[in-house]
Amino acid sequence: MTQDDKAIGRRVTLEEVARMAGVSRGTGSRVVNGSPKVSPDARRAVEEAIARLGYVPNRAARSLVTRRSDSIGVVFPVPTARFFGDPFFLLFLNGIGTALALRGLQLVLLMPQSGEEEQRLERYVAAGHIDGVVLTALHGDDPLPERLAARGVPVVVNGRPPRGAQASYVDADSRGGAASATAHLLAQGRRKVATISGSLDMPAALDRLLGFRDALEAAGLPIDPSFEEVGDFSQEGAARAMHLLLERQPDLDGVFVASDSMAVMALGVLQSAGRRVPDDVAVVGFDDQPIAGTTRPPLSSVRHPIEAMSREMVRLLLHSIDARDRLPRQVMFPTELVVRESSGGLPVKRS
Amino acid sequence: MTQDDKAIGRRVTLEEVARMAGVSRGTGSRVVNGSPKVSPDARRAVEEAIARLGYVPNRAARSLVTRRSDSIGVVFPVPTARFFGDPFFLLFLNGIGTALALRGLQLVLLMPQSGEEEQRLERYVAAGHIDGVVLTALHGDDPLPERLAARGVPVVVNGRPPRGAQASYVDADSRGGAASATAHLLAQGRRKVATISGSLDMPAALDRLLGFRDALEAAGLPIDPSFEEVGDFSQEGAARAMHLLLERQPDLDGVFVASDSMAVMALGVLQSAGRRVPDDVAVVGFDDQPIAGTTRPPLSSVRHPIEAMSREMVRLLLHSIDARDRLPRQVMFPTELVVRESSGGLPVKRS
DNA sequence: CGTGGCTGTGGGAGCGCTCCCACGCCATCG
DNA sequence: CGATGGCGTGGGAGCGCTCCCACAGCCACG
């Protein structure tokens, strides 16, 4: 009550704060922006005035002179609609949001629905309304990273960008993770191991398929396409893929699934087809999402550190903005296999 | 190429556009903002200059004088983490995003992680950094709607707010939808009908449970708590709930599930428990998400128009902002039952 | 005691835009 | 034919902030 009226009333300006603190606007600004060149006395007075008046700096005025918007765009191309069902995206969004909030930056969500809207987005971003962009869920031929980079917009991509575009990105070692998951199945004595992959125009999906094959090769087993099926990262796609695999290979004894949300469906299909998991068929997923620990049986899965990766993306992006350097940088995060009951392994910890 | 240099180079200002068009800044501004008091000649000249120079208005400068940020916050309290797995949220976000983009407004995503962060958010929003707020996925005791409204921030809530808070909201007729879904099961001759509900501190979940009971009562059947189980809107919760229900009521012959993503799991559990759907057990979901059409068997579900609802939320919000009126308004959208095979009904159209 | 440097401060300029007032021009009317 | 009114226009003011230059005050040194 004592100060709520201020909250409702007109805006408080730095001028008023300064007047109350008995200093100039300039000194007030210095305090707000944490400049070291302020005497302790002045600093204290200003801080007190800020608290008393409930002052919050006016972003627009600041942006106007700094030529920074202090907001970061997260671009999520909607045509990637199948991805929509995957909770992974929300965990990722949350990670980015947290990292940005910590630095007082705004998260602006951009969801272009079409090529046309992507172009509007491009102009919009290039106009300086956004300091940098996080791109995610890119499909094979999306030219967005290059185009934005060409306009001088700092960009970080979530996952290796398609077509080897020259852009900064943060990725998890999908291939290695997939290989260790598959190797784990083979180590359990499984010999007829299949995989359900994501849409292969997404690098992450392709990497997981390649890792799967790596492990087979390393074990001296042949690569047989009839053990591979695309699940598209959607639950319905995963169910379809699992049915197909069972039809083609009724005696398969292991499945590596490229995402947990698909793995959950695969588990269901296997069980309703009368297969016991892990006795008849061992299953390993990817992502290690919360759901993995709660399925029946609990799902073995490959973990990648979403939180740490989002933090790193933000760090890279801010560096690129501050340092004005557009050198592409890549950061790779290791993955780790988390063994649970679905793969028949002893519930050991991380491998 | 011809104008890319401009895109990269310094910003183009209205001043330059006006100079090129041979008019004053004021007239330029009028054209940009669609004022009618401009001669056709001047308008044409300015529009041409805008196109030639690739001019995009500077939001910060505009905001500074209009005292509008032209951005809308979408608040999604993270503690609602279980909701994370539900694709519904993304469809909703997408609907809001589209409606905003159409009006040139920015979507700022706010994901407070704790009560403390909610307070920061409150100050932030009250400081005028955001013109209005869309709230979603509220749990029982969240005071956010009232608190924001008390600070004079235009607010629209997705779904009836908890505790009957005085706020504008847009909701679907969950209760009616749930009732018609349940009635549909009863009409198929099912008599042992159970339900898996969402977290009951969310009004939408509660409404669906009440609708379920409404239908039972209307049919003269008793309300038996052992036919009700909370699934929490999460897939793991749904699986758990379905197991429990089967244990308690092995001969149940129908289930109404409060969301499609839970229904998918329920379907899986039923089938792996050897029940045939719909022969032994009929299932109806809620949301009518894309996945509903692709399960085996296809899932009957209650449809609510997410797209139309998001549009309406944006409309209400903008009205409240423009008209400066804070009168709470409520809009209710009807739901419709979409019958597919999982409920054993003939695949008729909407009921 | 003068000089030099260093620290902290004040306040002008200006970011790009919208708002608004004043004014010129033309058509209309008494 | 002069007064009246509207329409379209020009341009000053000012939104709230940061940046920067100038300067006051102080200490240390020669």
Side-chain angles (χ1 to χ4, degrees):
Chain A
M1 198 37 138
T2 36
Q3 67 195 67
D4 263 16
D5 42 348
K6 275 157 212 145
I8 291 186
R10 329 150 339 296
R11 214 106 296 154
V12 178
T13 73
L14 188 52
E15 191 78 52
E16 299 172 54
V17 170
R19 199 183 317 131
M20 178 180 237
V23 299
S24 75
R25 214 181 50 235
T27 301
S29 173
R30 266 164 234 137
V31 172
V32 170
N33 295 294
S35 155
K37 321 191 130 280
V38 181
S39 70
D41 277 4
R43 181 178 305 278
R44 203 164 347 95
V46 172
E47 278 164 354
E48 195 177 311
I50 288 176
R52 290 258 291 271
L53 296 172
Y55 169 74
V56 180
N58 182 320
R59 273 182 111 91
R62 177 180 283 169
S63 288
L64 189 55
V65 29
T66 58
R67 286 138 180 292
R68 286 255 210 130
S69 65
D70 288 331
S71 46
I72 298 294
V74 174
V75 177
F76 181 66
V78 171
T80 320
R82 0 174 182 182
F83 211 55
F84 260 20
D86 206 308
F88 167 82
F89 170 63
L90 281 166
L91 292 171
F92 163 74
L93 206 48
N94 188 32
I96 299 282
T98 306
L100 290 179
L102 233 53
R103 293 172 157 88
L105 298 173
Q106 232 172 23
L107 190 171
V108 175
L109 194 59
L110 300 162
M111 297 178 287
Q113 310 262 358
S114 61
E116 193 192 339
E117 286 192 34
E118 263 190 27
Q119 298 205 357
R120 278 209 310 146
L121 180 155
E122 213 183 304
R123 303 196 87 201
Y124 182 85
V125 170
H129 292 324
I130 292 237
D131 297 335
V133 165
V134 173
L135 290 172
T136 188
L138 293 174
H139 275 264
D141 54 350
D142 202 319
L144 211 48
E146 290 104 313
R147 305 205 48 174
L148 289 174
R151 284 185 181 255
V153 177
V155 169
V156 174
V157 184
N158 176 29
R160 180 166 55 80
R163 300 188 315 181
Q166 285 296 309
S168 288
Y169 66 85
V170 173
D171 203 354
D173 179 17
S174 286
R175 186 164 182 167
S180 73
T182 310
H184 165 69
L185 289 172
L186 297 172
Q188 308 290 317
R190 315 287 171 161
R191 278 302 170 270
K192 308 201 136 249
V193 179
T195 188
I196 297 177
S197 68
S199 0
L200 294 180
D201 57 345
M202 299 177 76
L206 186 59
D207 285 352
R208 289 169 202 187
L209 177 58
L210 294 178
F212 167 78
R213 290 181 185 164
D214 288 348
L216 292 184
E217 266 179 12
L221 293 172
I223 307 294
D224 179 349
S226 71
F227 278 93
E228 301 173 354
E229 194 59 47
V230 173
D232 235 16
F233 282 134
S234 73
Q235 293 203 318
E236 51 272 39
R240 196 180 343 100
M242 194 67 249
H243 278 293
L244 280 172
L245 288 170
L246 277 177
E247 250 168 55
R248 284 208 300 260
Q249 305 290 345
D251 56 344
L252 59 81
D253 56 11
V255 192
F256 164 64
V257 190
S259 79
D260 280 359
S261 67
M262 291 201 297
V264 168
M265 289 307 284
L267 222 53
V269 170
L270 284 170
Q271 289 170 339
S272 59
R275 306 298 202 284
R276 289 166 305 157
V277 177
D279 309 57
D280 301 329
V281 181
V283 178
V284 181
F286 204 108
D287 288 341
D288 195 37
Q289 280 170 18
I291 195 178
T294 61
T295 54
R296 299 196 177 182
L299 183 66
S300 298
S301 190
V302 178
R303 170 183 302 174
H304 47 150
I306 300 186
E307 196 80 10
M309 288 173 68
S310 352
R311 266 202 307 276
E312 179 63 17
M313 292 183 71
V314 170
R315 210 188 58 73
L316 277 184
L317 190 57
L318 296 187
H319 173 80
S320 162
I321 293 170
D322 289 337
R324 279 220 177 48
D325 93 38
R326 295 294 122 85
L327 289 180
R329 287 157 202 275
Q330 289 84 34
V331 179
M332 178 80 98
F333 279 77
T335 52
E336 59 176 352
L337 179 64
V338 180
V339 176
R340 298 197 183 84
E341 289 172 38
S342 73
S343 62
L346 309 172
V348 220
K349 89 237 88 280
R350 334 301 154 65
S351 98
Chain B
M1 198 36 142
T2 36
Q3 66 197 69
D4 262 16
D5 42 348
K6 274 156 215 147
I8 292 186
R10 331 146 344 291
R11 215 106 299 156
V12 178
T13 73
L14 188 52
E15 190 78 51
E16 300 172 54
V17 170
R19 200 183 316 131
M20 177 181 239
V23 299
S24 76
R25 215 180 50 235
T27 302
S29 173
R30 267 164 234 139
V31 172
V32 170
N33 294 294
S35 155
K37 319 189 133 284
V38 181
S39 70
D41 277 3
R43 181 177 307 279
R44 201 163 349 95
V46 172
E47 277 165 355
E48 194 177 311
I50 288 176
R52 290 259 290 271
L53 296 171
Y55 169 75
V56 180
N58 181 321
R59 274 183 109 91
R62 176 180 282 168
S63 288
L64 189 55
V65 28
T66 58
R67 287 140 181 290
R68 286 257 210 127
S69 65
D70 288 331
S71 46
I72 298 295
V74 173
V75 177
F76 181 66
V78 171
T80 319
R82 2 176 180 176
F83 210 55
F84 260 22
D86 206 310
F88 167 82
F89 170 65
L90 281 168
L91 292 171
F92 163 75
L93 206 48
N94 188 32
I96 298 283
T98 306
L100 290 178
L102 233 52
R103 293 172 156 88
L105 298 172
Q106 231 172 23
L107 191 171
V108 175
L109 193 59
L110 300 162
M111 296 178 287
Q113 311 264 357
S114 60
E116 192 192 341
E117 286 193 35
E118 263 191 27
Q119 298 206 356
R120 278 209 311 145
L121 180 154
E122 212 183 306
R123 303 197 86 203
Y124 182 84
V125 170
H129 291 324
I130 291 231
D131 297 334
V133 165
V134 173
L135 290 172
T136 189
L138 294 173
H139 275 263
D141 52 352
D142 202 317
L144 211 48
E146 289 103 315
R147 304 204 50 175
L148 288 175
R151 285 186 181 253
V153 177
V155 169
V156 174
V157 184
N158 176 28
R160 181 165 54 82
R163 301 190 315 184
Q166 284 297 309
S168 288
Y169 66 84
V170 172
D171 204 354
D173 179 19
S174 287
R175 187 163 181 168
S180 73
T182 311
H184 165 69
L185 289 172
L186 298 173
Q188 307 291 316
R190 315 289 172 160
R191 279 301 170 270
K192 307 201 136 249
V193 179
T195 188
I196 298 177
S197 67
S199 1
L200 295 179
D201 57 346
M202 299 177 77
L206 187 58
D207 285 352
R208 290 169 202 187
L209 178 58
L210 295 177
F212 168 78
R213 290 180 186 164
D214 288 350
L216 292 183
E217 268 179 11
L221 293 172
I223 307 294
D224 179 349
S226 72
F227 279 92
E228 301 174 353
E229 194 58 49
V230 173
D232 236 16
F233 281 133
S234 74
Q235 293 204 316
E236 51 272 38
R240 198 181 340 101
M242 194 67 250
H243 278 293
L244 281 171
L245 288 169
L246 278 177
E247 250 168 54
R248 284 208 301 260
Q249 304 291 345
D251 56 346
L252 59 80
D253 57 10
V255 192
F256 164 63
V257 191
S259 79
D260 279 359
S261 67
M262 292 200 298
V264 168
M265 289 309 282
L267 222 52
V269 170
L270 284 170
Q271 288 170 339
S272 60
R275 305 298 201 284
R276 287 166 306 155
V277 178
D279 309 56
D280 300 330
V281 182
V283 177
V284 181
F286 204 110
D287 288 341
D288 194 38
Q289 281 172 17
I291 195 178
T294 61
T295 53
R296 299 196 179 184
L299 183 66
S300 297
S301 189
V302 177
R303 170 182 303 173
H304 46 152
I306 300 186
E307 195 80 11
M309 289 173 68
S310 349
R311 267 202 307 276
E312 179 63 17
M313 293 185 70
V314 169
R315 213 188 55 75
L316 276 184
L317 190 57
L318 296 188
H319 173 81
S320 163
I321 294 170
D322 289 335
R324 278 219 177 49
D325 93 39
R326 296 293 123 85
L327 289 179
R329 286 157 203 275
Q330 288 85 35
V331 179
M332 178 83 96
F333 278 76
T335 51
E336 57 176 352
L337 179 63
V338 180
V339 176
R340 298 196 184 85
E341 290 173 35
S342 73
S343 62
L346 308 171
V348 221
K349 87 237 94 287
R350 333 298 154 63
S351 98

